[in-house]
Amino acid sequence: MHADVVIIGSGVGGSAIALQLAGTGASVIVIERGDNLPRELQNWDAEAVFGQLRYRTRDTWLNGAGERYRPGQYYFVGGHTKFFGAAMFRLREADFEELAHEEGVSPAWPVAYRDLEKYYDLAEELFGVRGSAGQDPTEPPRSANYRHGPIPDEPVIGQLREKLRQQGLHPFFMPASVNFGDGGTCVRCGTCDAFPCRIDAKGDAEMCLLRPALKQGGVSLLTGARATRLVTDPTGRRISSLEVQTRDGSLTVTGDTFVLSAGAINSAVLLLASANDKFPNGLANTSGAVGRYYMNHNCTAILAIDPRTVNDTRFPKTLSVNDFYFGGVHDRWPLGNLQMLGKIREPMLRGALPYVPRKLLEYVSRHSVDLYAMSEDLPSADSRVELTSSGDIRLTWNRTNLKPHERFVRKVKRLLKDAGYPLVVSRRFGEDTPSHQCGTVRFGNDAGAAPLDPFCKAYDHQNLYVVDASFFPSSAAVNPALTVAAQALRVGEHLRSELTRSRTASGDHAFDGGRHA
């Protein structure tokens, strides 16, 4: 099997690249280890999704202490966006610059916000993001307002918004990729965040990027195909083929350009597993940084409980607060982002609190308003992804910046009590929830310190790109999906130009350069 461009992974990064190259005359194949996620009643069943872990991988990993666990990984067409909460934030302008934190420094990116701004615009258009500009005090410059207005608050969330305003905060409508509104397909099912959408109303990578790419032509999709090794030519400078394991046996896929978009953990693992005589420490790893600098936001669920009121909200993810993002008057140091969680159900609580009686958990879930405090995790070379001699993935996460995160959580709990909630409880997310994984194959201007250049091309190889959240040199403190999409659209445009130049030089005029996605 051969293609001009071989893309490994069908999440945001891989699917955005595929869309940029669709209809250009180039042959593109997307290799996905999972299958299409089935549309079934269990999609919206909390017991199936959280109690039975119906869709979670059965693979196990090792943590830094050598303990085995089952990670929150989902392998389906569309990647983790099939289960994401639809939050589509731009990084703040200062997130691209060096930023001091209480426990260290968040490094500068090799690109500036202005380099991604037009691609943020395009990504928001493709994902049908709903939002309202001008409300968030940390919002970066925009060329225009959102194309679609925000998803409105339900009554309980609207009341919380007003109570936060009364405390001097600036709550804003969370940008969300949900097909809601006139002619939209969203029915406020009550199971959006962390659930798959049974009616395709959530704007995930499959719906918004991959399906349009497949329709335009030139792009094909191979599912149930796990990439196991990248093979180089004798010089080691070019990737010549990809070894794939399918249900029917092994397969070799050759190509001119390879794009690795398997997620920050699995992309690093594949590079490490592809070590050869020329690159004994793994491909793209002359810098020694592949697998290192793993980051995953410090996140805490905060439940504000009012026994006097039942919270019957079905889609709560309409509110967010960034007043604490850079600290400002609230703290000397950056604290992070506050947003709503999807409505908590008893099976979700049961997984974290297995020894608490179910009736009590059901009571809490009916009477709680559920929030999500997120702080930046700073890059550390000791936080890393490794491949053991037995082939196991070992993920060592040395969490950073926990002091300001804990202070942030305390501030939020005080705000909620002042808003009239008599009981506020919290629980931090653990290492088994790598939903915002990033940083393991970071990009930069120095080949001695970063595996990738500013266009996510490997310094060590002429035809290898890594385009998923692994390229992040810092994690910032907002959800990463939109930034992955923006950079992937930028890289895809660059690849299209490179392919056009190559075809023109070789006299192949069948390739017309395509059009902008």
Side-chain angles (χ1 to χ4, degrees):
M1 184 177 290
H2 177 86
D4 295 321
V5 181
V6 178
I7 300 173
I8 306 162
S10 65
V12 172
S15 292
I17 297 285
L19 182 59
Q20 285 286 47
L21 298 178
T24 62
S27 60
V28 180
I29 184 168
V30 179
I31 309 289
E32 170 56 50
R33 69 183 288 175
D35 294 302
N36 288 287
L37 194 148
R39 270 57 172 179
E40 56 188 6
L41 293 176
Q42 290 92 336
N43 291 165
W44 290 354
D45 183 348
E47 182 61 39
V49 175
F50 290 93
Q52 301 168 9
L53 302 178
R54 181 179 180 87
Y55 303 106
R56 183 182 290 196
T57 181
R58 295 191 177 277
D59 292 353
T60 59
W61 295 349
L62 300 174
N63 64 17
E67 300 163 334
R68 192 171 292 277
Y69 66 100
R70 185 177 170 190
Q73 290 280 120
Y74 300 91
Y75 298 126
F76 294 98
V77 175
H80 274 196
T81 59
K82 301 305 292 186
F83 294 83
F84 81 150
M88 283 293 190
F89 287 89
R90 300 183 180 204
L91 264 63
R92 315 293 92 179
E93 194 169 17
D95 284 329
F96 291 87
E97 303 166 0
E98 184 175 287
L99 185 63
H101 285 258
E102 182 174 0
E103 297 183 12
V105 173
S106 180
W109 288 39
V111 298
Y113 172 78
R114 62 180 177 274
D115 297 316
L116 286 188
E117 202 274 335
K118 72 174 184 178
Y119 302 102
Y120 273 130
D121 286 346
L122 177 57
E124 288 172 348
E125 179 182 347
L126 291 169
F127 278 93
V129 178
R130 270 73 176 161
S132 181
Q135 300 178 338
D136 176 3
T138 70
E139 185 175 45
R142 300 179 57 94
S143 59
N145 201 345
Y146 291 93
R147 190 170 181 177
H148 305 280
I151 301 173
D153 291 329
E154 294 188 41
V156 171
I157 308 306
Q159 293 166 14
L160 176 59
R161 182 185 299 272
E162 184 56 33
K163 290 174 181 177
L164 293 175
R165 281 200 190 105
Q166 291 171 4
Q167 296 184 60
L169 300 179
H170 302 82
F172 59 95
F173 283 97
M174 190 193 84
S177 176
V178 177
N179 188 10
F180 177 86
D182 292 341
T185 53
C186 176
V187 296
R188 286 189 186 261
C189 64
T191 53
C192 191
D193 190 3
F195 289 82
C197 184
R198 186 155 55 94
I199 57 175
D200 293 339
K202 181 158 58 175
D204 58 46
E206 179 192 10
M207 295 299 302
C208 298
L209 302 174
L210 186 58
R211 286 193 186 181
L214 294 170
K215 287 180 181 179
Q216 287 188 39
V219 177
S220 60
L221 172 65
L222 179 64
T223 62
R226 181 172 183 171
T228 58
R229 185 178 181 85
L230 288 161
V231 180
T232 68
D233 68 5
T235 70
R237 294 300 175 182
R238 289 188 64 83
I239 308 301
S240 58
S241 64
L242 172 71
E243 295 178 359
V244 179
Q245 191 65 39
T246 74
R247 300 181 190 88
D248 300 321
S250 60
L251 176 70
T252 297
V253 182
T254 59
D256 300 320
T257 301
F258 290 80
V259 179
L260 178 52
S261 302
I265 294 169
N266 282 302
S267 285
V269 166
L270 184 59
L271 293 173
L272 294 172
S274 301
N276 58 29
D277 291 342
K278 299 287 185 181
F279 293 90
N281 296 319
L283 298 189
N285 200 24
T286 297
S287 65
V290 169
R292 292 186 180 271
Y293 304 103
Y294 169 79
M295 294 168 286
N296 187 17
H297 288 132
N298 296 313
C299 299
T300 295
I302 304 173
L303 274 60
I305 302 165
D306 187 348
R308 302 162 297 184
T309 305
V310 172
N311 181 10
D312 57 3
T313 299
R314 298 182 67 79
F315 186 83
K317 292 188 66 101
T318 56
L319 181 152
S320 187
V321 176
N322 270 342
D323 293 78
F324 306 93
Y325 198 89
F326 295 116
V329 299
H330 302 281
D331 202 277
R332 179 183 174 188
W333 301 104
L335 296 182
N337 166 265
L338 179 67
Q339 59 184 264
M340 305 302 299
L341 271 174
K343 186 67 199 82
I344 289 292
R345 313 281 177 177
E346 181 272 325
M348 303 178 185
L349 296 175
R350 191 194 317 154
L353 303 168
Y355 304 111
V356 178
R358 289 193 183 186
K359 287 187 177 180
L360 178 57
L361 296 179
E362 289 172 357
Y363 181 88
V364 168
S365 67
R366 289 198 308 271
H367 293 269
S368 68
V369 175
D370 316 305
L371 296 96
Y372 186 67
M374 178 164 53
S375 302
E376 181 161 355
D377 178 30
L378 302 175
S380 166
D382 294 328
S383 288
R384 62 186 304 189
V385 178
E386 298 173 277
L387 195 60
T388 70
S389 58
S390 58
D392 284 315
I393 294 174
R394 180 165 57 218
L395 177 60
T396 303
W397 183 20
N398 294 315
R399 303 177 78 149
T400 66
N401 233 20
L402 282 176
K403 287 182 181 178
H405 178 68
E406 291 167 354
R407 204 159 58 246
F408 183 27
V409 171
R410 290 196 298 270
K411 288 178 180 289
V412 172
K413 293 171 79 170
R414 172 47 56 191
L415 286 169
L416 293 170
K417 288 182 179 179
D418 290 345
Y421 293 94
L423 178 62
V424 183
V425 297
S426 64
R427 187 174 180 88
R428 192 188 305 160
F429 285 74
E431 63 184 6
D432 62 333
T433 309
S435 47
H436 293 176
Q437 57 185 268
C438 60
T440 59
V441 195
R442 59 183 183 168
F443 68 171
N445 291 316
D446 180 5
L452 308 176
D453 74 10
F455 277 102
C456 289
K457 188 182 81 66
Y459 281 111
D460 290 342
H461 310 287
Q462 299 169 0
N463 62 337
L464 175 63
Y465 294 76
V466 183
V467 191
D468 51 34
S470 61
F471 73 76
F472 281 36
S474 69
S475 65
V478 288
N479 310 61
L482 191 71
T483 299
V484 175
Q487 172 68 354
L489 291 168
R490 176 175 177 262
V491 174
E493 184 180 75
H494 169 75
L495 280 172
R496 192 174 64 233
S497 298
E498 290 293 303
L499 286 167
T500 302
R501 186 178 302 112
S502 175
R503 296 278 178 108
T504 301
S506 65
D508 184 353
H509 300 294
F511 184 80
D512 62 9
R515 63 179 181 82
H516 200 278

